[in-house]
Amino acid sequence: MKKIKLFVGICLLTLAAPRASQAVITFTQLADNVFVVSHRVKFIGSRGQAMKLVYTKAASLCVAAGYTHLELAEQESQAGNQYEVANASVRVKFFLADGEGRLDCVKNANQEHVTHARNKLAKMGYQAPGPETVKKAAAEEGSGGSAGTPTGTCTIEQIVTMAKAGLSIEQITAACPAE
């Protein structure tokens, strides 16, 4: 009888303890900043739980990959029944700056998932965007997407601020004459 109580106690503790399997991140890289992130409920859970966790995992992967914002491109999920568990997948595109329809990765990420994603990315040989990529992205944000446009006498941060303030490309160009 004592062994049965001990066994039941261990089983209850195992169920109550946070599951390490929830920290596992399953993803596929489609392009430099495009990923598909998936989550499959291991035991008991709903489609809604699977979707919520896949969003958290996508944001965590975004942080681990060196980006700040993400945009949801596609999403799908299946409701589990008594013979099938719930799962969810989302295709996301990562960005280095805020924009329309983009979500803040840090705000939605989970540190445990970030750590697991960093480890998996490192095993894949993934290289996070470097300073050149960050500058290029900021210039594209500030110039309406025309890569390679000189910034003139303004810094990239100034150009981005002017663009966010609603100035047109012509106004920004006039404010930042080329040397």
Side-chain angles (χ1 to χ4, degrees), residues 141-144 154 158-176:
E141 289 287 329
S143 66
C154 296
Q158 290 170 325
I159 294 171
V160 170
T161 302
M162 287 187 270
K164 285 183 178 180
L167 276 80
S168 69
I169 294 174
E170 293 78 23
Q171 290 170 317
I172 294 171
T173 305
C176 303

Side-chain angles (χ1 to χ4, degrees), residues 48-132:
Q49 290 170 324
M51 287 303 298
K52 184 177 179 182
L53 199 49
V54 83
Y55 294 143
T56 301
K57 288 182 176 186
S60 301
L61 175 61
C62 174
V63 171
Y67 292 91
T68 60
H69 291 80
L70 69 84
E71 183 177 272
L72 298 170
E74 290 180 32
Q75 52 189 337
E76 66 179 66
S77 63
Q78 291 182 334
N81 59 35
Q82 64 182 1
Y83 304 109
E84 179 179 73
V85 295
N87 62 62
S89 294
V90 63
R91 185 167 58 92
V92 291
K93 186 171 184 179
F94 298 149
F95 296 91
L96 293 165
D98 194 6
E100 188 175 336
R102 296 179 188 172
L103 304 171
D104 185 336
C105 295
V106 173
K107 185 177 181 180
N108 297 299
N110 172 294
Q111 189 55 47
E112 186 179 3
H113 297 307
V114 171
T115 301
H116 285 272
R118 277 195 182 121
N119 292 339
K120 189 167 182 177
L121 287 167
K123 287 179 185 176
M124 293 172 46
Y126 175 81
Q127 295 293 315
E132 303 81 31

Side-chain angles (χ1 to χ4, degrees), residues 1-14:
M1 185 68 171
K2 207 172 195 181
K3 288 183 180 182
I4 292 174
K5 287 183 180 180
L6 179 62
F7 177 74
V8 170
I10 291 172
C11 289
L12 289 174
L13 283 174
T14 303

